[in-house]
Amino acid sequence: EPRNSLPPPIKGTNGLNCPNMEEETRFVDSGRPPSLKVEKPWGRFEQYAHNVPCTVKVITVDPGGILSSQYHHHRDELWVVLDPDAQVELGDEVLSPVPGEKLYIPRGTVHRLSCAGEQPIRILEVSFGEFAEDDIVRLEDVYGRIGP
């Protein structure tokens, strides 16, 4: 069953259901992927996964492009927005995240990504759990690809 509404953000999150990067969160304890921000003399890095099975992709959506309204049975996703003009449907919410924002999408949550601008947009996607392209349950698709 897909979930159309998200639980309220937990204390210590950035309002988009993703822990602040300054704090480490244990995947096993919270159900959310671990993340960590580490300061270095030359700058910093953000670590989205550490010693957990995951798949990493950069999704590019062309202007006017829209992904399926979909959910997954076997994986959670963390999206890091890389470009302006992304539009994200997450449960019952429509978001316009700015570059650098992070969105946590638990398995079973209905979600959709589109490009609302005149330039392509990119999302860094980190999938946690069993990854397979056939673990996409499409609820609506402008390209005619409905179903699992």
Side-chain angles (χ1 to χ4, degrees), residues 7-30:
I10 58 172
K11 184 178 181 182
T13 69
N14 64 5
L16 290 177
N17 252 8
C18 186
N20 287 330
M21 297 311 292
E22 291 81 18
E23 40 184 82
E24 184 174 8
T25 302
R26 303 273 180 229
F27 193 30
V28 175
D29 296 340
S30 70

Side-chain angles (χ1 to χ4, degrees), residues 62-135:
D62 292 329
I66 184 168
L67 278 66
S68 303
S69 176
Q70 60 186 260
Y71 66 94
H72 310 287
H73 290 293
H74 303 288
R75 68 181 186 250
D76 305 314
E77 294 176 339
L78 172 66
W79 286 1
V80 181
V81 179
L82 302 177
D83 299 305
D85 297 321
Q87 183 171 309
V88 177
E89 297 172 33
L90 191 56
D92 293 328
E93 297 182 65
V94 177
L95 307 170
S96 297
V98 297
E101 284 195 54
K102 296 146 194 87
L103 301 142
Y104 176 67
I105 306 168
R107 63 193 72 195
T109 301
V110 176
H111 59 284
R112 182 176 224 169
L113 173 64
S114 61
C115 178
E118 296 181 13
Q119 299 294 320
I121 58 112
R122 295 168 303 140
I123 300 287
L124 174 71
E125 177 186 274
V126 183
S127 299
F128 298 92
E130 184 181 318
F131 182 89
E133 282 297 324
D134 63 356
D135 180 31

Side-chain angles (χ1 to χ4, degrees), residues 134-147:
D134 63 356
D135 180 31
I136 299 174
V137 179
R138 291 185 172 92
L139 305 174
E140 182 182 337
D141 183 81
V142 299
Y143 309 105
R145 305 169 301 157
I146 301 295

Side-chain angles (χ1 to χ4, degrees), residues 49-63:
H50 181 75
N51 295 334
V52 295
C54 65
T55 300
V56 180
K57 300 192 295 189
V58 173
I59 299 171
T60 302
V61 183
D62 292 329

